[in-house]
Structures are given as C-alpha cells and as structure tokens.
Amino acid sequence: MPPSRRQLVAAAGALSAASAGAAALGYHTWWDQAPAPGLAHVSADEAAFFDALADAIFPPHPGLPLRGREAGVSIVIDGVISGMAPVQRNMLRLSVHALDQYPRPGHGQPFRSLQLADAVAILGDWTRSDLAELRGVVASLYIFVAMAYSLNPQVAPRFARSFPCGYGA
C-alpha cells in the first residue's frame, strides 16, 4: 500500500528537522574552533583544507618548486582574512567547512583527508558545476590559494618569469 499524503508530509517534516539539526551541529563544531598555532583566525581543520586545496591546485610537478601544501598558504590566507569584517570572515569560514564536508557522502571523509587524485577530481567537478554559487565560492578560494602560493619566496621567481609586471622584475 503506498504511503498516504499525511505520512509523506510527516516524513518530509522529519527529514527537514534532521537536516536542520545536522546543519546546526556542523555549524557548532566549527564556530568556536581555536586558531591553529601561529595563526590568528584559521583553525587546524581549515588550514588542512587549504593545504589539501593547494595540493589539488598545485600538485607535485617538475616545473614547480613546491607542491601546494609546502608553500604555507594558510599563513597568507590567515593574513588576508584578518583584514575582513567579521561577517565576511565567518561566511568564508562557513564556506570552507561546507566544501570540506562536500565529498563525505561519496568518499566517507572530508576533502582535507582525500587522496590527491580524488581531491583533484573533486576540484575539477566543483569548477565545472552547474551551480553558479558553488563555482563562485570555489573560484574565490582558488584565487586566495593561488595568490598565497605564488607569493612564496621559492615560487615567486618562477612566476616572475611569466608575469614580470606583478613581481617587480
């Protein structure tokens, strides 16, 4: 016997309540995270996400002197978000935590814990997503990470050859 309309409404209400509860729990788990050692705002989980994202954007490559996580992107990003208003800083942090959890249903773990090949594939999916909001958030974080990476003293000379006007050459 198919479910009645009343049963469907009750199930939808229960699912909505469970979703709201899960969102509130997720919000609570990141809201009061202490900054990672040496950082003013970025927590250890957020720094691990930025490192994983940096690796997905700048994986080990013979033409690059460092892989993404070795460039200290979290330190630069922490400095950038220190200049943001608290509302924008919190929205950015919320976006980071949402993206970090995005692969959990399909991969059983957050983005920061994925193997490099999986992280690269998911980053590609994000940049080609039909959701403009997702592409926009990912593009913003991509810019932050790429900026931080390119400012590393070991990396900057490599980029200066291609972009002399931006590196004082």
Side-chain angles (χ1 to χ4, degrees), residues 22-148:
L25 181 61
Y27 176 78
H28 179 70
T29 61
W30 75 266
W31 184 252
D32 286 331
Q33 285 185 348
L39 301 177
H41 299 286
V42 174
S43 71
D45 287 347
E46 294 158 354
F49 172 83
F50 285 124
D51 285 345
L53 185 60
D55 269 0
I57 296 169
F58 299 104
H61 184 276
L64 297 174
L66 297 174
R67 63 187 273 201
R69 78 175 51 243
E70 296 168 343
V73 296
S74 295
I75 296 167
V76 176
I77 292 172
D78 188 65
V80 169
I81 68 172
S82 291
M84 291 179 173
V87 170
Q88 283 79 19
R89 184 180 317 127
N90 288 335
M91 292 303 294
L92 178 70
R93 292 181 69 213
L94 178 62
S95 298
V96 165
H97 285 272
L99 285 174
D100 191 34
Q101 296 306 315
Y102 191 91
R104 191 174 286 280
H107 294 272
Q109 55 191 350
F111 185 84
R112 68 181 181 268
S113 300
L114 295 174
Q115 295 295 318
L116 180 59
D118 291 332
V120 169
I122 288 173
L123 177 61
D125 291 344
W126 288 345
T127 60
R128 292 183 303 274
S129 173
D130 290 337
L131 298 172
E133 298 83 3
L134 177 59
R135 288 192 321 270
V137 168
V138 171
S140 297
L141 293 176
Y142 200 110
I143 290 168
F144 283 139
V145 169
M147 176 188 64

